[in-house]
Amino acid sequence: MSVLTVEPDAVPAGNEPPDTGERHRLTAVTGLAALSLDAMASVAYGPEAIVLVLAVAGAHGLGFTLPVTLAIAALLAVLVASYRQVIAAFPDGGGSYAVAKTHLGARTSLVAAASLVLDYVLNVAVAVTAGVAALTSAFPALYGDRLWLCLAVLALITGVNLRGIVESAKAFIVPTVVFVGSIFVLIAVGLFRSHPVSTATAAGHASVLADNASSVGALLLLKAFASGCAALTGVEAIANAVPSFRVPRVRRAQRAEVGLGAVLGVMLIGLSVLIGRFHLQPVEGVTVLAQLADASLGHNWAFYVIQFATMILLALSANTSFGGLPVLLKLLARDNYAPHVFALKADRQVHRHGVLALAVVSAALLVFSGGDTNTLVPMFAIGVFVGFTIAQIGMVRHWRRERRADGREVHSPGWRGKALLNGFGALLTGVATVVVTASKFEEGAWLIVIALPLLVVAFETVHRAYGRIGERLGLGRIPEPPHRERSLVIVPVSSLSRLTSEALTAATSLGDEVRAVTVCYTDPEDRAALHALERAWAEWDPGVPLVRLACERRGLGRPIAAYVRETAAAEAGARVTVLIPESEPERLWQRLLQNQRGTVVAHAVRRESDAVICRLRFRL
C-alpha cells in the first residue's frame, strides 16, 4: 500500500500560495503611521499645555518650559522602554490590560481595560473636534457647521478602517510624513535663528501672561508636568495592537515603539528649545505651534503648510484608537468580559464590530459636545495615565516573578534594573494621574471618575452572564451522547403555491410526522378564503393534514405559537420543529414588497416555546 505525503509548504503548480492574512498586517513603518498619529499630533497641544500653566508665573515661569519638557521626555523614554518589554512579554496585545490580568488580578485588569476604552473613545472625539477647530479657524464661515464636519470626518476614518488596518496606514502615511517632516524643518531652521523672523500671527492678540505673576513652586511645576503629559497619549497603542503586525510581530512592534518614542521626543524637546529661544509668550486665539512656525519660517507658504498638516493630522489621529481598541475588545471578548461578537474578524484582518462600536460611541460624544473641543479636553488623558500606572506596576511584578526562586538572575538577567525603571515610571505616571484628575475634576474629569467603575461593573456583569450561559450549556464538560427522538414538523401555510410544495417536501424529509397549520378568522371574507384553501388542499391531497387554528382577534404569530406550545406539551417524547417557508426575492429592494409573515411567526414561536425554528428560503 502506497501513502501519498503532501508537504505543508508544497503549492500545486500554477496555484497561488494560501493567503495567511500577513499582507493585511502592519510593518514597522506602516505600524508607525497607523498607530502613532495620536502621539505625533500631541505636539500640537502638549508644549502649549505646559506654557499655559507656567504663564501664571509670568516670563520667569516660562523659563521652566524646557526643564519640564525634559522631564516629560525622560518619562517618555521610560514608557517606551517599558512598553518594549510589554510587547515582548505579551505578544497577543492588550497592553496594560494583559499585564494587569497576569500580574495584578482580574479586577485591576478591568480597571486598566476600562481606562483604555475611555481614553480611546475620548481620543477619537478630541482628535476630530481639534482638527475641525483648526479648519474653522482658517475658514470662520464653517464654524456653524462644525458638528456636521466632525461627523463627516469620523465617517471617513471609519470607512477607511473598515477596509483594513493596512489600508488605513497607507492612507495616513503621507500626512504623517508631511507633518513630521515639516516639524523637523521648523526646528532645524529655528535653531539657526537668533530672533523671530516674523510675529505677524500673534500681532493684535492679547497675551495670556499673568500680570501679577506668582512664584514658581513645586506645585506649579507639577501641574505643568501633568498638563504636558497629554503629549504622551498614544504611546501605549502599539503595545495594545501587537497582533496587527506582520511576523516577526514582536520585533516589528518594538521597532515601531522605539521609532515613535524617538520622533516624539525630538519634536517635543526641539519645540521647547525654540519656545525659550524666541521668548515666546502665549496669546489668545493663536496656538503656540502657529507662533513657532511664524517665528522660524516666516508668515509664508511654509507657515500654511504646517497649519494644514497639523489640522489634517489632528483629525486623523483618531486612527490610533481604531487600531488599538478593536484588539483590546477582542481580548476582553475572549475572556468573556465583552460580547463575543467583538472577537469576530472579517476579511482584511478587521475587527469590524469593534470599529463600528467605536464609531457609534464617538459620534454620540460628538453630538453631546456639539463638536466643541473644550467640552471634551478636561476628560482626556486621565484614562491613559491610569493605564500607564497599572502597566508599570504590573511589569515590576513581572520582573520579580521572572527571576528564579533562589534569587539568581537566570531567566531575566538584570531584572532589578528593569523593575527599578518600571517602578520609577509608575511613580511618575501615578503622580501625573492624581494631579491631572485633581486639577481638572470640576471641569469634567468627574465624569471619568464615575465612568471608570461603571465600565468595570459592566465588564463583570457580562462575565457573570457568560458564566451562567456556560453552566447551562455545560461548556468544558463531556455532554450526553446524542439520541434519536420522534420528530414532528409544523408548517404554517396561507395558500397553495410552489413555496408550499417545497416546504412540505423539506418537512417530510425532516420529520416523522408533518402537520400544516393555517390561522382562520371570523370575518366573512376570511372564512371564504379558508374554505377555498381547504377545497384546494383536498384536491391536491399532499398526504399532510391541514389544521385550522381559530383566532377571534386578528393575529398570526400568537395562535401558531400557542398551538406549538400545546403540541409540545401533548407530544412529550417528540422534538417539535416549526418550518417557516419564505420567498427570497431576486433584487434587494424587492424585500420591501414582502409582508414579513415569516419574521412575525418566528419571533412569536421563539418567544413562547422551545421549538426548533427552521426558515426555508425559496429563491425566486
Side-chain angles (χ1 to χ4, degrees):
M1 181 179 65
S2 62
V3 178
L4 177 63
T5 302
V6 180
E7 295 295 333
D9 295 332
V11 179
N15 290 347
E16 292 291 331
D19 183 10
T20 60
E22 288 300 308
R23 64 190 181 91
H24 296 302
R25 298 184 188 271
L26 299 169
T27 65
V29 174
T30 54
L32 194 61
L35 301 172
S36 68
L37 294 181
D38 177 18
M40 298 296 184
S42 65
V43 301
Y45 50 80
E48 183 162 6
I50 298 172
V51 168
L52 289 175
V53 172
L54 294 177
V56 175
H60 179 61
L62 294 178
F64 287 87
T65 301
L66 182 57
V68 171
T69 304
L70 289 175
I72 293 172
L75 177 57
L76 172 63
V78 172
L79 289 174
V80 169
S82 174
Y83 276 103
R84 281 188 79 254
Q85 297 165 358
V86 171
I87 290 168
F90 300 91
D92 290 334
S96 57
Y97 168 69
V99 176
K101 177 188 169 187
T102 304
H103 299 296
L104 300 177
R107 181 65 62 85
T108 306
S109 72
L110 294 182
V111 173
S115 67
L116 286 173
V117 169
L118 291 173
D119 182 68
Y120 277 138
V121 173
L122 283 167
N123 173 58
V124 173
V126 170
V128 170
T129 55
V132 170
L135 177 64
T136 56
S137 296
F139 303 99
L142 298 175
Y143 184 78
D145 299 319
R146 63 189 184 280
L147 176 58
W148 294 108
L149 290 171
C150 288
L151 294 175
V153 172
L154 177 61
L156 172 65
I157 299 172
T158 303
V160 171
N161 277 276
L162 286 174
R163 288 189 54 81
I165 192 168
V166 169
E167 298 299 323
S168 69
K170 290 178 179 177
F172 301 148
I173 195 168
V174 172
T176 303
V177 170
V178 171
F179 176 79
V180 173
S182 61
I183 296 297
F184 279 164
V185 170
L186 184 157
I187 294 171
V189 174
L191 290 176
F192 288 96
R193 304 279 192 192
S194 59
H195 59 276
V197 68
S198 171
T199 56
T201 304
H205 293 267
S207 173
V208 298
L209 211 62
D211 294 328
N212 50 345
S214 62
S215 60
V216 180
L219 186 60
L220 182 66
L221 293 177
L222 205 59
K223 187 175 180 180
F225 172 80
S227 297
C229 280
L232 302 182
T233 58
V235 172
E236 80 293 346
I238 293 174
N240 292 341
V242 178
S244 299
F245 285 83
R246 294 180 186 175
V247 291
R249 308 194 201 289
V250 169
R251 188 182 306 168
R252 292 182 187 274
Q254 286 180 329
R255 288 175 179 172
E257 186 73 46
V258 172
L260 167 61
V263 173
L264 180 58
V266 170
M267 289 195 295
L268 287 174
I269 295 173
L271 293 176
S272 296
V273 169
L274 294 186
I275 290 173
R277 190 180 188 88
F278 296 142
H279 304 290
L280 185 144
Q281 296 183 6
V283 298
E284 293 180 356
V286 179
T287 65
V288 168
L289 186 60
Q291 291 187 64
L292 287 175
D294 198 25
S296 180
L297 303 175
H299 203 74
N300 49 32
W301 62 269
F303 169 82
Y304 287 103
V305 167
I306 290 180
Q307 292 306 104
F308 277 102
T310 304
M311 175 192 71
I312 294 172
L313 203 73
L314 277 169
L316 298 184
S317 63
N319 194 66
T320 297
S321 296
F322 282 97
L325 182 60
V327 175
L328 175 62
L329 290 177
K330 179 201 75 172
L331 295 177
L332 286 167
R334 187 189 65 185
D335 296 335
N336 295 331
Y337 288 110
H340 287 173
V341 70
F342 290 120
L344 300 179
K345 186 182 293 185
D347 55 353
R348 298 175 179 269
Q349 304 297 317
V350 180
H351 296 285
R352 185 170 296 162
H353 295 90
V355 171
L356 292 175
L358 175 58
V360 170
V361 177
S362 300
L365 265 180
L366 291 174
V367 173
F368 165 75
S369 66
D372 181 32
T373 309
N374 294 328
T375 305
L376 300 167
V377 165
M379 298 180 284
F380 189 46
I382 296 174
V384 73
F385 276 98
V386 172
F388 281 163
T389 306
I390 290 175
Q392 302 277 349
I393 296 173
M395 288 306 294
V396 171
R397 298 199 67 180
H398 171 77
W399 296 124
R400 290 181 61 85
R401 290 181 179 179
E402 279 290 292
R403 66 189 179 97
R404 283 179 50 164
D406 57 8
R408 292 166 57 192
E409 299 178 2
V410 176
H411 294 307
S412 181
W415 69 270
R416 287 187 177 84
K418 296 174 181 177
L420 183 62
L421 179 69
N422 292 134
F424 181 63
L427 176 63
L428 292 180
T429 54
V431 169
T433 303
V434 173
V435 173
V436 171
T437 304
S439 61
K440 297 182 177 181
F441 187 82
E442 295 182 356
E443 301 175 32
W446 60 271
L447 285 172
I448 301 299
V449 176
I450 294 175
L452 265 175
L454 289 179
L455 204 50
V456 171
V457 170
F459 290 150
E460 292 180 332
T461 302
V462 171
H463 189 72
R464 285 194 297 270
Y466 275 127
R468 290 193 295 269
I469 293 171
E471 183 64 27
R472 292 290 300 274
L473 293 177
L475 296 179
R477 301 193 300 269
I478 298 177
E480 297 178 358
H483 59 279
R484 193 183 185 323
E485 292 181 339
R486 177 175 171 273
S487 57
L488 170 61
V489 183
I490 298 173
V491 183
V493 298
S494 58
S495 62
L496 293 186
S497 64
R498 281 190 62 189
L499 181 61
T500 309
S501 175
E502 290 287 338
L504 294 183
T505 300
T508 53
S509 302
L510 291 173
D512 298 317
E513 180 184 351
V514 178
R515 300 177 191 173
V517 297
T518 185
V519 180
C520 55
Y521 307 105
T522 57
D523 295 348
E525 182 180 349
D526 293 313
R527 286 202 302 269
L530 173 64
H531 294 322
L533 174 61
E534 289 178 328
R535 287 194 301 270
W537 195 272
E539 183 180 349
W540 182 36
D541 191 17
V544 175
L546 178 65
V547 180
R548 297 167 50 177
L549 303 179
C551 182
E552 296 182 0
R553 301 175 60 184
R554 298 199 68 86
L556 182 64
R558 283 190 174 182
I560 294 177
Y563 177 76
V564 171
R565 190 172 61 251
E566 293 168 2
T567 302
E571 303 277 351
R575 175 75 64 178
V576 179
T577 300
V578 181
L579 190 147
I580 304 172
E582 297 175 289
S583 60
E584 185 170 317
E586 184 179 6
R587 309 284 184 194
L588 182 63
W589 68 268
Q590 292 174 342
R591 294 185 182 182
L592 298 174
L593 307 179
Q594 293 180 295
N595 54 27
Q596 306 300 324
R597 292 164 62 94
T599 301
V600 172
V601 172
H603 178 71
V605 172
R606 182 182 296 110
R607 184 181 57 197
E608 299 185 22
S609 76
D610 295 327
V612 177
I613 298 174
C614 178
R615 303 181 73 169
L616 175 68
R617 303 284 186 178
F618 181 72
R619 298 181 183 276
L620 299 178

